[in-house]
């Protein structure tokens, strides 16, 4: 592995609980270096999955949290001023393409469409990245793969990927895990008993039913892990759930009452 | 403590009057390094609370007043031009993450959503901060914690945190303190008698009932401290209240009359 | 006084004609270093008042005319490129905070709200100014005070101070002076006789009654001084009033006729 | 005269044909250094007038054509990079204030309001210009005067001067000159006979009656000078009028017919 | 071939399956160096065609993925800072014009119209490119040709080429290939049997009929190649089609059902 | 001729077919250095005309393709960083003004109005160009003339020249040439027979009648030259017309049918 990307290697196996054939499908996609799009709600495990796959495939992983301010230069690289003039510095996408890492663009719809188009030549059969400012045409390393994540719930007229971008990717759907699987995850990650974990998952299921009926999003697995870790530190379950599940989710008094009631039902 | 953050240590115990179990809950949250979100109206003591907790936990506190112009670079750092070329300078978030401070992003909804996403990798289990411009991946110091404040009353369609941000935080609610507690605070902070402090709190309670009925916000504890400190300097109570409570709050003649009447009732 | 702010000392007593207890109230506010907000229409003497108070208190005065383009850097400071690399230069707010001047932000609603929030940590009990770009935390000099001016007539949905800003200030109201006082001011500032000054004030009172009935603003004291100084240079009163009072105020033919008639009534 | 502004001296008497007492009034305004605002339609002679007055008063004249992109730095000055670091360069407003020129901001409504406010401290009794970026407070030279021009016809809700700006100025109105005067001007400037000049003025008067009835502006004196100078070069009057008066003014076929008919009536 | 563009030579014959007389027409257009515009939906082979033509004509090909952020400098070039001051660097358009490459502006409607106008002087009989920042007038190399691509389906009031740009180009239409041709392409590119390729094309035809009835775009040839390459790696056809054809295309549950049904019909 | 503008001399007589007295009128306008505005639809020969006049008058011609991004600095010049600090570089307008070229601003309505105002002082009797950033006042060379082009069809509320700009120019109208003249042009420029050229002109006339009835613009002379040059290279007339006349003009199927029918009528 090239030293420039060695820091990005995932050295310890991340805890990932597969819920279907997503691991096999991803491996097949990686085998043909198909660019991949991971779809699903916030906090359901997309980032963890790509970390797990990077570890399994033994490839370095370069993650970029996308945002509206991100320019093409932030992805591709720029000239820095040096004692001897300017020096080119590869951006994360170039680094990954040049040295063979998996490049993961997290929440790619946040980026402006025009920033997104810089990935086009890397996602068709050319697999090149033109560094226009440097006048260099980088041919992607054979290990390079591009992965993006995408929350369909956020998609709007203003913020959606262009069809000409979407069609360059294979796609995998993610959702919150089944109750039994989620219970196992919460217990494993926080150390609370299976019983407590099960109650937390029960609260989450109630809350997820309220999505679209006053809540923009349900309670994510990540939030359950937060609540569980407070309970494991001897915080009272009611206080822990209010602090980690209810208050962050909504400021609406009625929704808070409904969620508090759900918590009381289980604890 | 690392010398780069030593200036940010809170050396004297800040005056903080607890109103519930918020101190214990915060300590539990810090123990698991859960990112925290403090919700509540302006001037009710959120900033004072986080200063108090930083003092109690013995951790340095780096506060950032968020604003719409703030770029990711303002949080993360940037290259400065030097006699020998460019030199990297950590921003406040990087400083806190690298050396183990509590980083407090005050009024985080003011910042653009896309600036906010730079905190994402620090607020999940990775606890890393990629410095894309520097090509460095900072692993957060074990003492690092992120705290944000948030005024739900300001939240609008345009300015609200994204669900994918909110779900990364535990939350504590703050409100103006109960009358007795607030009286104690005003008296302690200004030196006026309990009687005068009680009258000021009485005026504030009247004004807070007008919130939503012509006033955007009620009179905050901070404003009562202003009025009290003028009275303690022998300014006539009526003049002090007009200058510190009524005039700053509204320019509407009717609301001013209503507030002036409330002042006259008590003094 | 520190040499860096010595240029900003008000060396001669500015002519200021008090109209109430505003001088005493300001002194009490300064004694507790309460941030102050001066409210009132354009040209009624707010700037002159703060100059007078700075002279009376013997403190240097740093005035900043706010505008929409003003960035936080314009207030706080920035790095300049030097022969030996970059050199930090304090902005006017930092200069005042560091060396103990009164900092007066004139027409603060013109500045963007997000620029305004940089004053927050200077206006609560912390009295600090974090220079994020420099990585320095300036503790305000004990003489430092912040004063802002504000024209309530301009306030709109788009341009108003946030409640969380307003609540940090005590407030004083200003208006055009009473007829007798204004006559004294015009005569003193221009050298015209009390009779002529009285006629000019008469014209102004007529015009001020038209505010909201076709005129956005009335005739300010400053405009009367303009007209008086022309008359003192032997310009015919009618021509002087047209040039200094009527034409600058409005281009509407009907309003001009009404104002011309008012002028003719008195001269 | 300081060498830095010597280039800006008006060395030859500009041709200016006074139409009223505007020369005397301006001299009185200059005597008290009252900031002046020249109002009137495009091409009616405002710029020529200020050149004439600068010549008559023997003061250098620095003219700035305002535009929406103009920043405060364009008026005030900026740091330039030099072999030995940065070097400050005065902008035109600073140059005029420092060395005693008349500074003429042409079409000031084009500039953004926030750029305009930098002139405020120069237009009240302080007569100072704070160079915030340089940390210098320039006291205006005793010869300095500020003049702005303003076309009331362009004024809109979006682009108008703020009242707090307008009230700092005395104002003079300008219009197209009376027929006899305009005839004299056209003849003097182009060399055509009084007869031809009279016909051109006749065409202009017809066109000016169409203003607001299909034409945004009438034919200006400047356009008559264009047409006259073509006729003086033996271009046929009809062709000259079409090229210099009709085609530049409108693309509307009906208005063109109406204007062509007016031309044919006179030639 | 000039060394600066040698990297851009297409050294291996790209696989291109002609569907009409487009190859001959393009050759005639190149012979008179007519600028060309390739119109058609995303993923139908426009980019592949221009690569094929560049290979056939033996000319280097410089491709630019256009985006909204692209400035004229990104196309034309800029000054870079060097140890000895500034150094000019040709942008991709200048490189192509100077040394005789085919310059292909992919998805040109993404670029701002004002960026697009820099190509005007290269697309009329002048065939020059003024480098205004450098003060140089580049005369295009005789081998230079400009090609742009354009997806009429994206064209909107906001994003369309100006008529004055369009009229500078000859145009060729592209569409998805006929079933037999597309089958041949899919089989050739992925190694699946003609039978499997035919089934994939069948799915695509169904999906293309849904365009405008719930789908923004149909399934492109590129997507079929994705699905085929997964099947060739022993992924079950149903899973391969869902991952490569259905999920990337839409998140609408009804459309997904319809597409899944189409897949089941064939496999 | 000054060496800095020698590259811009038009050395060969451009082919220009006069359609009226435009050559004589332009010469008269140049004789008095009247700024000129050329109005007319796209591709009708405005640029060719100004090239011809520059050749006829023996003056260098500096052409600037205007665009919305163009800043005043792009026209006027800027400081470049050099080994010894900054060095001023004249922009195209300054170059032309200083050394006596004709400066042609093509499609001037594309430029922002505020960029356009920099030409004002060059277009009245002052004929100066203030380089505010350099602190220099360039007096225009006696040979300098400013010419702008303008397509009235594009003019909208958002993009039109200000009256105060328009009134500084004489204007010439351009249209597509009469059939006989256009036939002569097409034949001369492409080498096709008069018969073929006549048929192409026939197609164009039909298309021009559709302008405003489904077509934004008609077929320009430039497009006819494109079609003719393909026919001269033995492309079948039908294919040549579709490629050069129909497809570039519209994507609307009905309009394409109508245009194809017109082509079939003639060939």
């Amino acid at each position: 592995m090239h030293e420039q990307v060695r820091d990005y290697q995932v050295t310890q196996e991340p805890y990932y609980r597969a819920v279907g054939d997503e691991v096999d499908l991803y491996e097949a996609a990686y085998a043909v270096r198909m660019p991949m799009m991971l779809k699903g709600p916030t906090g359901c495990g997309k980032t963890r999955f790509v970390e797990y796959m990077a570890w399994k495939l033994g490839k370095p992983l370069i993650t970029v949290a996308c945002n509206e301010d991100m320019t093409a230069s932030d992805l591709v690289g720029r000239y820095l001023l040096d004692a001897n003039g300017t020096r080119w510095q590869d951006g994360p996408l170039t680094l990954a393409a040049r040295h063979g890492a998996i490049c993961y663009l997290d929440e790619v719809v946040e980026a402006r469409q025009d920033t997104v188009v810089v990935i086009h030549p890397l996602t068709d059969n050319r697999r090149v990245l033109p560094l226009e400012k440097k006048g260099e045409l980088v041919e992607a390393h054979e290990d390079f793969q591009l992965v993006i994540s995408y929350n369909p719930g956020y998609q709007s007229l203003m913020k959606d990927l262009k069809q000409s971008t979407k069609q360059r990717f294979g796609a995998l759907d993610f959702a919150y895990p089944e109750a039994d699987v989620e219970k196992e995850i919460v217990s494993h990650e926080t150390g609370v008993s299976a019983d407590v974990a099960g109650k937390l998952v029960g609260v989450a299921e109630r809350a997820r039913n309220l999505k679209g009926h006053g809540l923009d999003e349900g309670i994510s697995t990540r939030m359950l892990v937060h609540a569980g870790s407070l309970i494991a530190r001897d915080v009272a379950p009611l206080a822990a759930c209010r602090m980690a599940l209810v208050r962050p989710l909504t400021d609406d008094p009625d929704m808070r009452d409904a969620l508090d009631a759900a918590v009381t039902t289980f604890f």
Side-chain angles (χ1 to χ4, degrees), chain A residues 98-160:
Chain A
R98 203 190 282 283
H99 302 301
I102 295 173
C103 184
Y104 176 46
L105 304 181
D106 192 14
E107 307 201 37
V108 77
V109 286
E110 293 303 314
R112 297 190 297 193
Q113 287 194 358
D114 34 282
T115 306
V116 171
V117 301
V118 303
I119 63 180
H120 281 196
L122 276 171
T123 50
D124 55 31
N125 71 306
R126 291 174 289 170
R127 283 177 62 89
V128 294
L129 179 60
L131 307 181
E132 274 145 28
K133 291 200 172 117
K134 199 177 170 220
E136 181 191 351
L137 192 74
V138 176
E139 308 221 357
H141 187 283
E142 63 174 346
D143 286 354
F144 170 76
Q145 188 201 22
L146 189 69
V147 185
I148 64 180
S149 78
Y150 179 79
N151 184 345
Y154 281 169
Q155 131 192 29
S156 72
L157 276 178
M158 290 300 293
K159 281 208 174 176
D160 194 7

Side-chain angles (χ1 to χ4, degrees), chain A residues 51-72:
Chain A
E51 288 174 349
Y52 175 76
M53 292 309 305
W55 171 83
K56 194 152 193 290
L57 295 164
K59 305 297 171 204
L61 172 68
I62 299 180
T63 299
V64 181
C66 294
N67 65 65
E68 218 174 57
D69 267 355
M70 211 166 58
T71 63

Side-chain angles (χ1 to χ4, degrees), chain A residues 80-87:
Chain A
L80 294 177
L81 211 61
D82 210 331
N84 301 312
T86 50
R87 174 177 59 83

Side-chain angles (χ1 to χ4, degrees), chain A residues 210-263:
Chain A
L210 295 170
K211 185 173 167 181
H213 304 286
L215 282 188
D216 291 335
E217 283 284 325
I219 288 174
S220 65
T221 311
R222 177 190 291 139
M223 295 174 92
L224 296 183
V225 171
H226 271 177
S229 63
L230 287 173
I231 294 171
R233 309 259 341 164
D234 294 326
V235 172
L238 287 180
C241 287
R242 229 168 303 155
M243 181 160 151
L245 305 183
V246 181
R247 285 171 186 157
L249 207 59
T250 181
D251 298 313
D252 181 89
D254 294 340
M255 292 315 301
R256 285 194 166 190
D257 285 352
L259 292 170
D260 282 344
V263 172

